[in-house]
Amino acid sequence: MSSPFLEQSWLNSVRDSLGDLVQNRRTEADAVRLAKEQTLTADPAAPQALRRELLAMLGWPLLPGPGNDQPPLAASKVEPVESGLEWAEVSRITFEVDEGFQSYALVCAPKAPAKTLRPLLVFQHGGEGTPAQVLNLHGHSNYHQAVRQAVERGWIVVLPQLLIWQKAFEPHIDQFAMDRDLKQLGSSRAALDLRTLQRAAEETTAHFPVQIDQWAVAGLSYGGFYALLAGALDLRFRAVLSSCYVNDRYRYNWGDWIWFDSAAGLDDVLLALLIHPRPLWIEVGNRDEIFDVTTARPVLHRIAERWRAAGSSENLVCREFDGGHEFCSNGQGIDFLTRLINSL
């Protein structure tokens, strides 16, 4: 005997009405975000105000803790690494990121003795990655020879380890559980990862012959996100390269890329505008198997449109290359960073 009370039609109504509510609120958030885009290109004070908003959204350790007291960090340690690479001297820096939490980075420097200070490139691995993977020390990877290209062009390259290696290497971690734990405590994994990236740049500059006003940042996939975020929030990074990340944040609204009310205040267009007018290279693969290029194209178009509206587009490259979810191997992005960082 069938139940006299059938829930399906009522449940359909609940589901559909929620979809309507989300869409209506997205429309409202889009209007707020559009107003911020317009303000960023018109009001000189707007970028710093938006940076403060984003820093508060991401949480500590990007913001001072209670009472603005920042405990002193432990001394870093630098040691040589036998990597087998013929084209670079490799070292490992171990450093404290926040009180009690430490991480490490690999540093690749040209083998020839430095006669002058060199530019610094932070090259950020993507999801399930490590610095060694970027260097192809585990075999061929989708980073190709990007770090070698940079070192051969005179860069000192630092490769920080972020909390996103997930299950690719032992010990296995759950990066999404880490993000939830940190968000409950007023932080986020993105905040801790971004601070790790910054600390890696600071410690490399302290221990190697780095030109302090010639920092750049590049990354693939999750690394492309962190490159864009670091460039937007930290003016010390004078040029940015983001590979295989930029896309529609409603289409790719992964839990660790969402913060309270972020639809109204944090998307790829706004981050790109916070980098303006510093050099920015954005690339996406036309056969990317993870992020759909068809939803990336409108975002790239909007970024280019907004840069033109700001009166300057010569330092922006938004390009689609023939490839998948990989760092474009032709070296043009590294050449772009090298040419413009050397012109500073």
Side-chain angles (χ1 to χ4, degrees), residues 278-293:
R278 290 167 290 154
L280 172 60
W281 176 286
I282 299 173
E283 62 182 28
V284 296
N286 60 9
R287 292 181 280 107
D288 193 320
E289 61 275 21
I290 296 179
F291 299 133
D292 188 348
V293 70

Side-chain angles (χ1 to χ4, degrees), residues 2-252:
S2 61
S3 169
F5 191 86
L6 301 178
E7 285 92 351
Q8 183 172 353
S9 62
W10 294 99
L11 296 177
N12 284 339
S13 175
V14 171
R15 180 199 62 191
D16 293 345
S17 64
L18 175 61
D20 292 341
L21 172 65
V22 169
Q23 186 54 53
N24 290 338
R25 290 303 177 99
R26 280 181 171 177
T27 299
E28 294 172 3
D30 290 345
V32 173
R33 205 173 59 250
L34 175 60
K36 289 180 179 179
E37 288 179 19
Q38 294 170 334
T39 302
L40 283 177
T41 59
D43 180 359
Q48 277 303 90
L50 181 55
R51 287 188 185 99
R52 287 192 295 270
E53 272 185 46
L54 298 184
L55 288 169
M57 184 187 299
L58 296 171
W60 60 264
L62 300 177
L63 287 179
N68 293 336
D69 294 328
Q70 292 297 296
L73 298 177
S76 58
K77 179 181 179 182
V78 181
E79 54 190 348
V81 172
E82 291 295 334
S83 66
L85 299 178
E86 298 178 353
W87 46 269
E89 297 282 357
V90 181
S91 304
R92 180 184 295 105
I93 300 183
T94 306
F95 52 87
E96 198 169 35
V97 178
D98 197 40
E99 187 177 18
F101 171 64
Q102 69 173 16
S103 190
Y104 75 94
L106 295 183
V107 179
C108 295
K111 285 196 169 184
K115 295 181 180 179
T116 59
L117 298 179
R118 295 181 181 273
L120 175 70
L121 176 63
V122 179
F123 194 99
Q124 192 55 66
H125 66 77
E128 302 191 1
T130 66
Q133 186 184 39
V134 177
L135 296 175
N136 296 333
L137 298 183
H138 299 301
H140 179 74
S141 71
N142 57 347
Y143 302 94
H144 301 302
Q145 295 293 326
V147 174
R148 179 172 185 169
Q149 292 168 1
V151 170
E152 290 178 345
R153 286 157 177 76
W155 295 84
I156 291 175
V157 181
V158 59
L159 302 107
Q161 178 64 65
L162 302 189
L163 295 167
I164 52 176
W165 71 86
Q166 194 75 341
K167 297 180 180 180
F169 298 94
E170 297 281 359
H172 293 169
I173 62 169
D174 185 337
Q175 66 185 58
F176 304 103
M178 287 180 174
D179 188 50
R180 293 192 297 270
D181 289 344
L182 289 165
K183 283 177 176 174
Q184 280 187 317
L185 299 169
S187 181
S188 62
R189 207 200 58 247
L192 203 58
D193 279 341
L194 178 56
R195 186 62 189 133
T196 300
L197 184 156
Q198 292 171 322
R199 290 284 296 126
E202 292 162 1
E203 289 298 331
T204 304
T205 301
H207 293 284
F208 291 84
V210 168
Q211 182 68 46
I212 185 63
D213 60 353
Q214 290 187 332
W215 284 11
V217 59
L220 169 69
S221 191
Y222 263 95
F225 159 65
Y226 283 111
L228 205 64
L229 189 65
L233 295 179
D234 192 333
L235 296 174
R236 293 176 297 179
F237 293 105
R238 305 294 296 278
V240 178
L241 191 163
S242 178
S243 179
C244 292
Y245 165 74
V246 169
N247 214 294
D248 181 347
R249 287 305 125 211
Y250 289 143
R251 170 77 182 276
Y252 297 100

